[in-house]
Amino acid sequence: MTVDDVTAQAELTASGEQRLEELVSELEGTIGRSESFWRGPDADSFRSRWALTSSEIRSTGQELAARGTELEQHRDEQETASAGDGSGAGSGGGPGGGDAGSEGPSAAEDPVEKTNGPGEDPYYGEVDPEVADRWEAMEDEEREKVAQAILDEEFERYGIEPAPEIIFDPMHGLNGRWSAVGEDGHKIEIDGTKLKDPEMMGTIAHEARHAAQWEAVKATEGDSTFWDWLPGTQSDYERLEKDYGMTPDEVDSWWDHWTSPEEEQAEYYDQSVEVDARNAGAQFNDGITPEDLDRYQEAAGVSP
């Protein structure tokens, strides 16, 4: 077994499961909105068929996740066997032995340039040692409460309220995932089994940024529907740049990402939405101070 290749394939499988879930969530919102302009027996039949199709797609995603976990298990067995005979084949992992940020290698274990441009190795930030020690010293329940406080503040900063309750379930190779729910909702999942790693704070900021990207795209599409994407007004672009530093080119690139066929999109790590979200996560990890953590703990009702 070439361990590095198996690791890469497991990550691709996990990202494929994530992409399927994102597509289903996007289409659910789109098809739900069709009720406002398409009614009757044909429309009802179409939406019923979609309900079955979405269930099949999600089942396929779950199968992908299971196969990814199986690959990781075979890889781990190979690494254990190799370590026993001294060959030591394998590669470094991210938080909790998986990916860092939302995907990819851990910056702490494999130092990289502090950039996140297309084609460059991802960088997920470096948490202040005092903050990291305090985070690791918390109980699991305390970390979950503080994680929710971080998400609440990030959503408020982007003008998105209320923030959803974080789902802390194991995620089979991913650290976090954002999904659109219906027309105005958001779903945030964080792998609770990896939450003890301080870099996971950046994962929360990463997923919140995806929600902000989605809201920016919706704001600039004006009154358009999924079927005729009309450009938004210049004032929307100006507001987004002034309030959140989102340039018109960035917002348009996210729009293009979510409206273009998958085969026309860039490689996963080079997609504009991922590069931007990795930057947000890295900036959060680089910038969080002990005073910031005090504020999050106070909001969560957790003693420093």
Side-chain angles (χ1 to χ4, degrees):
M1 176 187 292
T2 305
V3 176
D4 287 344
D5 288 345
V6 173
T7 298
Q9 185 61 49
E11 291 175 352
L12 285 173
T13 303
S15 66
E17 188 270 340
Q18 179 181 12
R19 182 58 183 150
L20 282 176
E21 180 60 33
E22 290 173 349
L23 286 169
V24 172
S25 296
E26 292 168 20
L27 285 168
E28 280 179 342
T30 298
I31 291 171
R33 289 193 295 273
S34 72
E35 294 179 359
S36 65
F37 58 84
W38 187 25
R39 300 183 182 88
D42 289 343
D44 292 340
S45 176
F46 173 82
R47 285 188 282 268
S48 295
R49 293 199 305 273
W50 161 248
L52 294 174
T53 301
S54 64
S55 176
E56 292 172 355
I57 295 173
R58 283 202 162 96
S59 294
T60 300
Q62 292 169 0
E63 182 68 13
L64 275 173
R67 298 287 75 77
T69 300
E70 183 179 350
L71 281 170
E72 291 174 342
Q73 291 171 344
H74 287 304
R75 176 204 61 197
D76 293 344
E77 291 169 359
Q78 177 65 52
E79 289 181 325
T80 299
S82 297
D85 64 18
S87 62
S91 62
D99 52 348
S102 279
E103 306 83 19
S106 168
E109 295 180 13
D110 186 15
V112 295
E113 293 297 322
K114 297 184 178 183
T115 58
N116 272 308
E120 297 174 341
D121 290 326
Y123 173 68
Y124 298 107
E126 299 173 358
V127 179
D128 177 272
E130 180 182 343
V131 173
D133 289 344
R134 288 174 53 186
W135 180 264
E136 292 172 346
M138 294 183 205
E139 300 294 332
D140 291 342
E141 183 178 354
E142 292 176 328
R143 275 190 292 270
E144 290 185 3
K145 291 179 179 178
V146 176
Q148 184 67 54
I150 292 173
L151 184 72
D152 291 346
E153 186 171 301
E154 287 295 292
F155 265 58
E156 182 179 2
R157 182 167 69 87
Y158 290 123
I160 312 170
E161 295 187 79
E165 294 292 323
I166 299 175
I167 299 171
F168 294 103
D169 289 336
M171 297 191 64
H172 308 294
L174 291 176
N175 280 2
R177 175 168 52 206
W178 161 85
S179 317
V181 179
E183 185 173 354
D184 298 313
H186 300 272
K187 178 181 177 182
I188 301 291
E189 299 168 89
I190 298 294
D191 191 331
T193 67
K194 301 175 184 177
L195 193 59
K196 187 174 182 179
D197 192 296
E199 285 188 16
M200 291 292 286
M201 289 185 283
T203 300
I204 298 165
H206 177 121
E207 304 307 337
R209 183 67 175 187
H210 279 319
Q213 293 166 347
W214 180 249
E215 292 295 327
V217 167
K218 289 200 303 178
T220 53
E221 70 180 68
D223 295 326
S224 66
T225 69
F226 182 79
W227 313 110
D228 70 12
W229 298 96
L230 300 176
T233 65
Q234 187 63 32
S235 61
D236 288 323
Y237 286 109
E238 291 173 350
R239 175 182 58 79
L240 290 168
E241 186 164 18
K242 177 182 177 182
D243 293 346
Y244 311 116
M246 300 172 175
T247 68
D249 285 344
E250 286 176 327
V251 176
D252 285 345
S253 74
W254 305 334
W255 188 346
D256 291 341
H257 168 81
W258 275 311
T259 59
S260 63
E262 186 173 359
E263 60 271 16
E264 296 178 8
Q265 296 173 11
E267 293 294 327
Y268 189 74
Y269 284 108
D270 293 343
Q271 292 170 4
S272 61
V273 293
E274 281 302 310
V275 170
D276 179 73
R278 283 202 305 275
N279 281 331
Q283 289 168 3
F284 187 94
N285 280 339
D286 282 340
I288 186 172
T289 66
E291 292 73 25
D292 292 327
L293 187 56
D294 287 341
R295 186 177 70 256
Y296 294 131
Q297 288 182 294
E298 182 179 357
V302 173
S303 299

